Amino acid sequence: MKILYGMQQPDEGTITVGGEQVVLHNPGDAIARGIGMVHQHFMLADNLTVLENVVLGAEKLYGIGAKARAKIKEISDAYGLNVRPDVLVEELGVADRQRVEILKVLYRGAKTLILDEPTAVLVPQEVDALFDNLRELKAEGLTVIFISHKLGEVLSVADEITVIRRGTTVGTAEPSKTTSKQLAEMMVGSELPTPETAESTVTDVPMLKVDGLHLAQTDLEGIERIVLDQISFTIHKGEVLGIAGVEGNGQSELVEAIMGMRDPDAGVITLDDADISHAPTRHRRESGIGYIPEDRHRHGLLLEAPLWENRILGHVTEKPNSKGGLLDTKAARADTERIVQAYDVRTPGIEVTAASLSGGNQQKLIVGREMSHNPKLLIAAHPTRGVDVGAQAAIWDYIREARREGLAVLLISADLDELIGLSDTLRVMYRGRLVADADPATITPEELGSAMTGAATGHLEHTEDDER
């Protein structure tokens, strides 16, 4: 995709656009040829508004004022993107950022749209809406390249499927003549793994108690908004508590409050009988909280630093990273080698930068780092977002194994199959409140998705009507 978007030059081969062979030296060339790309990791400036991000670099098209605003509104309305031009991008959840990226590409007049893992952050209802949008784009003559690991989605939206494994095209398929099983075998050479957990390991020993957690924040207009509204729950040793919710309903703020990155206005957070409600983040880390952040590039890694330095992040004061109050770089390097082996991080060595690894290998390094300190509580926010099926299966195995050994896990994910498969207990978060709970053994992704949009509250029971 980087080659098609002019970010990387091919060693050989040709690219033909509209019947004409082209050489794309940079993204500007690609955009001029009508190729637009929405990256898996978004390319937006946090400190600018949505409007400023959309017009940045394309000021000559519609200016930067009323005409640009009208064009943004026109595109947003036409494809149901619900984009708000004056909001700062840093205030948007991942799903909203993705819509801004799609709008940005359409604003530049793209005729070929490349979408990299576009549904990773969406609930089933939002996926359906996106697919409706893609069908509209297709009906208007646009070409869409849709990259995904979710085989059911590929089968439902694609006209033609190409399977790539280890950098080589291994086959093509017609959706009407292909099953998920056949596609999976082409992708990984075997059946796809599932997140299902066979046995319960839940104990009656509480590890994390959150009681009456409340947090308000003031937006740019000076209006106070409640982002966490009287949140209460308990996670026991050996238990995975899954929280489902559309991005932007308070999940990020909940994680930041538990990690000490935000100070709650009210409520008590207890870790293993110790009150950590207002403790510094470092103290919480040293007390046994592991953290897989929702955005590995922004909060999990130093992309330009070598792997061994990234292994130290978040655990500077702990062994093997430090000794006698000083960094022990020799021990940190040795332990990074161990993590690379144990967690199958595919890399030429520990001196390469984190940026040089694929998304899946970056994530395995983070998981290995966090699990290496024997955490009591693991906060896993979208632990398998944007990773290939092999890395996804490995990460599920690490979480299941740690759960068997008594780890308490707070799991936040937009992958509903992952949430239902891994969780012992499920709660639904909507507008800063926990509004519903469900039994992972009986709930369907569709029922969970409905509750996530605010359509259902209380205890969710599976009914025959849902199947119809």
Side-chain angles (χ1 to χ4, degrees):
M1 295 306 106
K2 285 180 177 176
I3 291 172
L4 287 186
Y5 198 51
M7 296 169 71
Q8 200 164 312
Q9 298 307 306
D11 296 321
E12 55 186 72
T14 60
I15 299 169
T16 306
V17 179
E20 182 187 345
Q21 193 169 312
V22 298
V23 177
L24 305 172
H25 298 286
N26 53 53
D29 288 352
I31 291 166
R33 294 280 178 178
I35 297 171
M37 180 163 174
V38 177
H39 298 261
Q40 182 181 322
H41 289 282
F42 305 141
M43 306 289 186
L44 297 170
D46 280 3
N47 58 338
L48 299 182
T49 65
V50 168
L51 185 144
E52 289 165 343
N53 267 281
V54 172
V55 303
L56 190 62
E59 295 86 354
K60 290 180 181 175
L61 292 177
Y62 307 100
I64 59 172
K67 199 173 173 188
R69 182 183 295 275
K71 186 65 180 175
I72 289 170
K73 186 174 186 327
E74 178 192 321
I75 297 170
S76 178
D77 291 347
Y79 301 110
L81 297 172
N82 298 319
V83 167
R84 297 168 291 165
D86 298 311
V87 178
L88 275 180
V89 163
E90 69 183 5
E91 293 182 4
L92 297 179
V94 188
D96 285 328
R97 287 168 189 251
Q98 185 194 64
R99 294 187 187 99
V100 173
E101 284 279 24
I102 291 174
L103 190 141
K104 194 170 84 173
V105 167
L106 297 174
Y107 184 87
R108 283 158 174 71
K111 295 284 177 260
T112 300
L113 190 61
I114 303 169
L115 300 175
D116 190 0
E117 295 281 348
T119 63
V121 295
L122 306 177
V123 301
Q125 288 81 350
E126 290 179 311
V127 171
D128 292 342
L130 173 67
F131 286 177
D132 288 343
N133 292 341
L134 296 185
R135 291 182 186 106
E136 281 177 39
L137 292 168
K138 191 178 80 171
E140 289 174 25
L142 274 78
T143 300
V144 180
I145 301 176
F146 176 85
I147 303 161
S148 180
H149 300 119
K150 297 183 179 179
L151 304 189
E153 293 177 359
V154 172
L155 288 167
S156 76
V157 79
D159 296 298
E160 187 180 331
I161 300 168
T162 297
V163 179
I164 297 176
R165 185 166 80 224
R166 292 184 184 268
T168 302
T169 300
V170 293
T172 59
E174 280 184 51
S176 58
K177 299 176 183 173
T178 312
T179 65
S180 291
K181 189 167 179 288
Q182 289 167 326
L183 267 189
E185 284 169 1
M186 287 169 74
M187 279 172 70
V188 292
S190 60
E191 285 194 40
L192 270 191
T194 67
E196 268 70 45
T197 306
E199 79 294 354
S200 173
T201 58
V202 182
T203 67
D204 56 3
V205 182
M207 178 51 71
L208 178 75
K209 289 168 90 171
V210 173
D211 187 21
L213 201 63
H214 196 79
L215 178 68
Q217 68 180 26
T218 306
D219 63 21
L220 285 176
E221 283 83 39
I223 299 166
E224 190 172 81
R225 205 163 54 88
I226 295 172
V227 288
L228 294 177
D229 191 357
Q230 301 299 326
I231 300 284
S232 298
F233 60 82
T234 300
I235 310 178
H236 301 85
K237 286 186 178 180
E239 178 180 20
V240 176
L241 170 66
I243 293 191
V246 178
E247 302 272 334
N249 276 277
Q251 303 95 310
S252 298
E253 289 83 0
L254 173 62
V255 168
E256 288 170 6
I258 295 171
M259 285 301 300
M261 295 147 75
R262 285 177 186 255
D263 198 33
D265 301 321
V268 179
I269 304 169
T270 309
L271 178 70
D272 203 11
D273 292 333
D275 185 344
I276 59 166
S277 308
H278 304 286
T281 297
R282 178 171 136 187
H283 172 77
R284 300 181 197 215
R285 288 296 233 160
E286 292 168 347
S287 299
I289 298 184
Y291 178 39
I292 302 170
E294 70 172 80
D295 188 331
R296 54 181 167 266
H297 285 186
R298 292 171 82 207
H299 300 134
L301 297 166
L302 291 172
L303 290 173
E304 298 309 316
L307 301 192
W308 67 268
E309 284 187 21
N310 276 284
R311 187 263 167 273
I312 294 172
L313 291 183
H315 301 279
V316 175
T317 60
E318 299 166 62
K319 288 183 177 180
N321 301 327
S322 69
K323 187 177 180 183
L326 296 172
L327 283 180
D328 187 345
T329 56
K330 185 180 176 187
R333 277 188 166 93
D335 199 60
T336 308
E337 297 275 15
R338 180 193 63 78
I339 290 172
V340 164
Q341 289 295 318
Y343 289 82
D344 190 27
V345 181
R346 295 181 188 179
T347 172
I350 63 166
E351 298 294 338
V352 303
T353 63
S356 67
L357 300 187
S358 71
N361 285 305
Q362 289 174 352
Q363 195 73 348
K364 285 192 283 188
L365 179 71
I366 291 172
V367 172
R369 173 181 75 200
E370 298 307 314
M371 300 304 257
S372 294
H373 292 274
N374 299 319
K376 299 174 180 177
L377 169 73
L378 176 68
I379 298 174
H382 308 280
T384 62
R385 174 181 284 163
V387 305
D388 63 57
V389 286
Q392 185 182 51
I395 289 167
W396 287 340
D397 282 342
Y398 301 140
I399 291 174
R400 279 189 287 243
E401 189 182 327
R403 168 182 167 271
R404 275 194 295 273
E405 292 171 10
L407 178 71
V409 181
L410 176 64
L411 174 66
I412 293 169
S413 179
D415 182 335
L416 301 192
D417 290 323
E418 174 175 83
L419 263 183
I420 292 168
L422 284 181
S423 298
D424 298 294
T425 315
L426 265 177
R427 306 290 293 273
V428 178
M429 200 162 184
Y430 181 67
R431 293 187 177 174
R433 302 182 69 187
L434 294 176
V435 296
D437 64 273
D439 181 352
T442 58
I443 197 77
T444 66
E446 290 69 27
E447 290 162 344
L448 199 52
S450 176
M452 288 162 66
T453 59
T457 57
H459 182 69
L460 305 177
E461 292 284 358
H462 175 67
T463 65
E464 298 300 318
D465 289 345
D466 291 305
E467 290 175 8
R468 286 202 293 276

